[in-house]
C-alpha cells in the first residue's frame, strides 16, 4: 500500500523526466480549462509563467548546493540531472572559463509531450521556457542564449551559457 503521507521531497528520488510527465498531465488539463475560458494565448502565458516561476525556484535550490557558492563549474553539473532517465541525448558539453555550451541531439521531454498529444506551443511553455528561468534563478551572473530548440523543429538544442 502506498502511503499518502509521503513528503514532497520523495519526488526528488525519481528522474526529472518522470516528474515532468506527471506535471505535464496536470498543466495540460489546466491549459485546456483556461484556454476555453480566456483564449489560447492567455492559457499559454499562464502555463509559461508557472513554469518559469518553478524553474527559477529550482535554480535557486540548485545554487544552494554549490559548496563554494554559485559558479559555472558547479552549474555544469546540472547536465547529469538533465540526462537522468535517458531524458536528453547530449552530443557535446564544452566548459571554458566563463562559458558553457551544451548541444542536445535528442529530447525525451519533447518526445514524451508529443506522445501525450500536446501541441508544440504548449510543449515550448512546459519545457523550453524553463531553461532561461533556471539559469536566472541559479545566479544573476548567468546568461543563456539558445538559438535552436528541438521543440521548434530544429535538429538540436544549443545552449550557450555565459558567466558575467
Amino acid at each position: 500500500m502506498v502511503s499518502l503521507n509521503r513528503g514532497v521531497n520523495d519526488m526528488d528520488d525519481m528522474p526529472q523526466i518522470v516528474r515532468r510527465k506527471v506535471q505535464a498531465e496536470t498543466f495540460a488539463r489546466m491549459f485546456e480549462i483556461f484556454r476555453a475560458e480566456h483564449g489560447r494565448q492567455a492559457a499559454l502565458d499562464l502555463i509559461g509563467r508557472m513554469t518559469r516561476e518553478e524553474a527559477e525556484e529550482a535554480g535557486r535550490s540548485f545554487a544552494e548546493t554549490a559548496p563554494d557558492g554559485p559558479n559555472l563549474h558547479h552549474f555544469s553539473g546540472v547536465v547529469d540531472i538533465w540526462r537522468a532517465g535517458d531524458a536528453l541525448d547530449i552530443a557535446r558539453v564544452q566548459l571554458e572559463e566563463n562559458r558553457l555550451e551544451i548541444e542536445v541531439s535528442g529530447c525525451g521531454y519533447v518526445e514524451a509531450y508529443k506522445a501525450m498529444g500536446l501541441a508544440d506551443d504548449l510543449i515550448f511553455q512546459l519545457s523550453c521556457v524553463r531553461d532561461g528561468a533556471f539559469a536566472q534563478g541559479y545566479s544573476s551572473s548567468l546568461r543563456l542564449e539558445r538559438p535552436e530548440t528541438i521543440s521548434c523543429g530544429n535538429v538540436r538544442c544549443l545552449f550557450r551559457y555565459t558567466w558575467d
Side-chain angles (χ1 to χ4, degrees):
M1 180 193 261
V2 175
S3 169
L4 297 178
N5 294 321
R6 293 178 64 181
V8 172
N9 291 336
D10 291 337
M11 287 186 68
D12 292 342
D13 295 336
M14 66 177 71
Q16 186 167 286
I17 192 164
V18 174
R19 289 186 303 227
R20 296 289 176 252
K21 287 178 191 177
V22 170
Q23 183 184 55
E25 290 175 5
T26 301
F27 276 20
R29 280 184 244 142
M30 289 172 52
F31 170 79
E32 288 303 324
I33 292 167
F34 203 80
R35 181 194 55 78
E37 295 178 9
H38 302 284
R40 183 172 194 83
Q41 191 56 54
L44 287 169
D45 292 345
L46 174 66
I47 297 299
R49 188 175 90 218
M50 293 171 62
T51 301
R52 282 189 301 278
E53 287 176 6
E54 181 195 26
E56 280 187 36
E57 177 58 36
R60 285 190 289 276
S61 294
F62 187 62
E64 290 173 3
T65 69
D68 299 322
N71 61 75
L72 191 58
H73 179 73
H74 176 263
F75 181 82
S76 70
V78 80
V79 171
D80 292 330
I81 296 169
W82 292 343
R83 257 186 216 175
D86 295 324
L88 296 178
D89 294 326
I90 298 180
R92 181 176 54 84
V93 176
Q94 183 176 356
L95 176 61
E96 297 172 0
E97 185 177 331
N98 68 340
R99 184 175 164 96
L100 170 65
E101 192 164 291
I102 304 166
E103 182 180 342
V104 175
S105 57
C107 182
Y109 299 99
V110 171
E111 292 168 14
Y113 297 154
K114 284 186 182 287
M116 293 171 70
L118 303 181
D120 290 343
D121 54 355
L122 180 56
I123 291 171
F124 187 85
Q125 295 300 321
L126 288 171
S127 192
C128 301
V129 301
R130 186 177 300 282
D131 303 322
F134 183 86
Q136 220 173 12
Y138 183 82
S139 174
S140 61
S141 296
L142 191 58
R143 303 277 179 259
L144 169 63
E145 176 191 344
R146 194 186 50 216
E148 303 173 42
T149 64
I150 292 169
S151 71
C152 291
N154 294 289
V155 296
R156 67 181 184 169
C157 294
L158 185 58
F159 295 78
R160 292 182 181 134
Y161 292 98
T162 306
W163 191 270
D164 294 334

